[in-house]
Amino acid sequence: MDEIVDALKVSGLDDVESHKRFMIVNGSVNPDGLDELRKVKGVVSVHQDSAYKTQKR
């Protein structure tokens, strides 16, 4: 798992949180970099979450 996390970081993943027990890695990446993460050996899937902010009035 450590090798996968290191490869993800090299591929552009920032703010990395690794959950070895569940074999999940969370982090931040520019949306254009998602395909690079998918190419990392050992990665089964990559999911994109979105965050929204309300406008201030």
Side-chain angles (χ1 to χ4, degrees):
M1 177 98 169
D2 292 334
E3 292 174 3
I4 295 170
V5 171
D6 290 342
L8 289 168
K9 289 178 181 178
V10 169
S11 296
L13 192 65
D14 294 321
D15 304 322
V16 177
E17 295 179 5
S18 175
H19 308 280
K20 291 182 182 183
R21 179 176 178 195
F22 301 108
M23 298 298 290
I24 295 173
V25 178
N26 295 326
S28 300
V29 68
N30 183 316
D32 296 336
L34 292 174
D35 287 335
E36 287 301 312
L37 299 181
R38 290 182 177 104
K39 294 177 186 176
V40 172
K41 185 177 179 180
V43 171
V44 175
S45 64
V46 174
H47 299 278
Q48 181 178 359
D49 290 338
S50 299
Y52 299 95
K53 289 185 177 183
T54 59
Q55 291 181 334
K56 294 182 180 180
R57 293 183 181 216

